Structure formats: structure tokens, C-alpha cells
Amino acid sequence: MSATIIDGRQIAAQMREEIKAETEKLIREHGVTPGLVTILVGENPASVSYVTAKQKASKELGFYSVQDSRPADISEADLLALVDGYNKDPRIHGILVQLPLPKHIDENKVLYAMDPDKDVDGFHPVNVGRLMIGEAKFLPCTPAGIQQLLIRSGTAIEGAEVVVVGRSNIVGKPIANILLQKKEGANATVTVCHTRTRDIASHTRRADILIVAAGFPNAVTGDMVKKGAVVIDVGVNRVGEKPSSTVPGKMVPILKGDVDFDAVRERASAITPVPGGVGPMTITMLMFNTLKSAKGAAGVD
Ligand SMILES: NC(=O)c1ccc[n+]([C@@H]2O[C@H](COP(=O)([O-])OP(=O)(O)OC[C@H]3O[C@@H](n4cnc5c(N)ncnc54)[C@H](OP(=O)(O)O)[C@@H]3O)[C@@H](O)[C@H]2O)c1
């Protein structure tokens, strides 16, 4: 068996079309334009490229987009005041503070200073709590993207045995929580594995849906996967460099997931590739959350 590829680029493009159409409708019928601010502190190249991609996506969708770049030596108090200003700005429905922040700034303080109703990353404790009790407002973007990949690829989630490898606050725990909820697109039986789990393979081999976010290549090998399982590979590992196929003379990273793709695809019924699986969904879900926030502000469901 060779698994079907779950194409994250295609599903993300389809969702962006939907978001764009809904944005146009919101502007036309309610005069509300979704507004997203991305706050960048310093010039970390990876952060610059993430923020650029978020701004590009938000502009393409017709959002009101603000890129607010501050020097790396901005004081914590000034950054907190900046966030507070956007909390009060009615044109802004989503605030994204790009992490990591410089060491002299307490990231949690900045996160807690954000209005939970504008926390489109879904990391504020109020939003974590809302998810836990089944009253989610904003789902964190990467796990929300994983759920959409499962739903839109036609994977049966209800009643499925889901095994998650990894328990981070940004991927493992929230995706476990999302799929556990008594809701459509969820209702799974979920097991979460981590570094203290005994005999991980005994768990992964039971999975109808296996979600891997362990943070290193080949964390899951072919023998750890049940025949016919659906495998979502969240991992992004730089394993080298290669010449760019579009820009002569430029080197681009070679990316690998956390799953031994070639071996696992022979056993799975469907699998996400890296790149082109979970990655394209993350920014799309940020846009989805910003639109949702704007709809809430406009009193639209
Ligand atoms: N595509 C995207 O948009 C996206 C977004 C976020 C992350 N990622 C990628 O997803 C991966 C995971 O990210 P993360 O932030 O969740 O990573 P993380 O914070 O490093 O967490 C890794 C988790 O995996 C567990 N783990 C590590 N080694 C293990 C092993 N041998 N067996 C079982 N569990 C093990 C750890 O367990 P302990 O808790 O016991 O240490 C931890 O819970 C990374 O490759 C990251 O680059 C991709």
C-alpha cells in the first residue's frame, strides 16, 4: 500500500478562498474589515520571514494589516503599552506578537497583557481554558490546521483511536484537547505520548490517526505504524541545504518531518508530506481566527 498524500497546500488554498469570500461579505454587509497587527521585536531572520508571510497572507485576503516593528532594546513596559494600545484599537481584531522575544522581556507577561478576544494565536490562558471546557473561541493555529486537514481529507475522527507523540503547549496538548472534545470533527479517544512514555510503539501501533510532533527526524518509523493509519507529521527539521530551483545561486534548507516518510507511507492509508502538509495550514488558521474575531466584533456568527 502507498498512502494518499494529504495536500496541505491545496487545503490551505481552498480555505483562503473561503476566508477571502467571507471577508468581502463582512465588509460589504457590515462595513467591518478584519484587522491584524503583527508585532516584531528585533530582526531575528526567522521571525522576520514568519511575520512577512503573515502580512502577505493578510493583505491578500483584504484585511487591514499593520506591521509594527520595534527595536530589540524596546523595554518590557513599552511593549506592554504597545499591546494595550492595540487592545483598545477598534480597527484591530487580532494581535500577533512574534516569538521569541529578547531575553529581557517576559513572554508570559506580554501574552497575559493581550485582550483574550484579540489573541488570534490562541495561547492566552483564557483561550486555553475555553478550549479545555469546550467553549473555544480561538483554537491555536497549528493544531487547528491539523484538525482541518483531517476533516477536509475525509478522515473519520469520531470514535477513532488518536495517538499524539509530543505534549508541547503549542502542538501536542492542544491537538489532543481539540480531538477529545464532544463536538463534530472530534469525539476521538486520545492518547498522548512523551519522553517518559513506556514502549511508545505499543501506543502508536494502535493509532487510527497518528499525530507526530516530537521535534526530531525519524521519531516514528514504519514498524511503529498500524496498516491503514492516517499519519500527520507536524515536524519541521532542517537537515541540510540545496540550491534553490527558482533563484540561481541561492541555497534553501532541506526540510524533513518527524516521521520516516518513505517507510511510513508504505503502511499508512494517508500521510502529510513535509514540506507541504501541516506547515501551510498554520498561517491560514491565523487568518481564520482574525476573521472570526472581526465577525464577533460585528455581531455576526
Ligand atoms: N508546521 C508547523 O507549523 C509547526 C508548528 C509548530 C511546531 N512544528 C514542529 O513540530 C515539532 C514539534 O514542535 P513542538 O514545539 O511541539 O516541540 P517541543 O516543544 O520540542 O516538544 C516536543 C515534544 O515531543 C516529546 N518527545 C521528544 N522526544 C520524544 C521521544 N523520543 N519520544 C516521545 N516523545 C518525545 C517531548 O516530550 P517531553 O515533554 O517529555 O519533553 C515534547 O513533549 C517540531 O519539529 C517543530 O518544528 C511545526
Side-chain angles (χ1 to χ4, degrees), residues 12 113 130 132 209 224 230-231:
R130 284 171 172 164
M132 193 85 181
I209 299 171
M224 294 169 75
V230 172
V231 179

Side-chain angles (χ1 to χ4, degrees), residues 152-175:
R152 288 169 185 254
S153 62
T155 304
I157 306 174
E158 180 156 328
E161 291 282 343
V162 171
V163 176
V164 181
V165 182
R167 58 174 166 185
S168 72
N169 288 332
I170 63 166
V171 186
K173 279 186 212 157
I175 189 58

Side-chain angles (χ1 to χ4, degrees), residues 142 165-168 170-172 193-196 200 212-216 234-237 258 278-279 282:
T142 298
V165 182
R167 58 174 166 185
S168 72
I170 63 166
V171 186
C193 301
H194 46 79
T195 54
R196 304 297 188 273
I200 288 191
V212 188
F216 65 98
V234 191
V236 182
N237 304 289
D258 289 353
V278 174
T282 299

Side-chain angles (χ1 to χ4, degrees), residues 105-221:
I105 297 174
D106 181 341
E107 288 186 352
N108 276 343
K109 258 196 197 169
V110 177
L111 179 61
Y112 295 1
M114 208 179 283
D115 178 350
D117 288 344
K118 295 190 178 186
D119 164 42
V120 285
D121 244 347
F123 292 146
H124 190 289
V126 166
N127 285 319
V128 176
R130 284 171 172 164
L131 165 59
M132 193 85 181
I133 62 168
E135 297 288 336
K137 185 166 177 115
F138 303 120
L139 296 177
C141 300
T142 298
I146 295 170
Q147 185 188 33
Q148 286 301 319
L149 287 175
L150 291 170
I151 293 171
R152 288 169 185 254
S153 62
T155 304
I157 306 174
E158 180 156 328
E161 291 282 343
V162 171
V163 176
V164 181
V165 182
R167 58 174 166 185
S168 72
N169 288 332
I170 63 166
V171 186
K173 279 186 212 157
I175 189 58
N177 224 323
I178 288 169
L179 297 180
L180 180 66
Q181 294 300 320
K182 195 167 183 174
K183 286 186 187 302
E184 242 180 82
N187 268 320
T189 302
V190 183
T191 304
V192 182
C193 301
H194 46 79
T195 54
R196 304 297 188 273
T197 301
R198 275 183 276 128
D199 191 5
I200 288 191
S202 70
H203 296 281
T204 59
R205 276 191 213 112
R206 283 191 298 103
D208 302 313
I209 299 171
L210 178 59
I211 298 170
V212 188
F216 65 98
N218 299 330
V220 165
T221 50

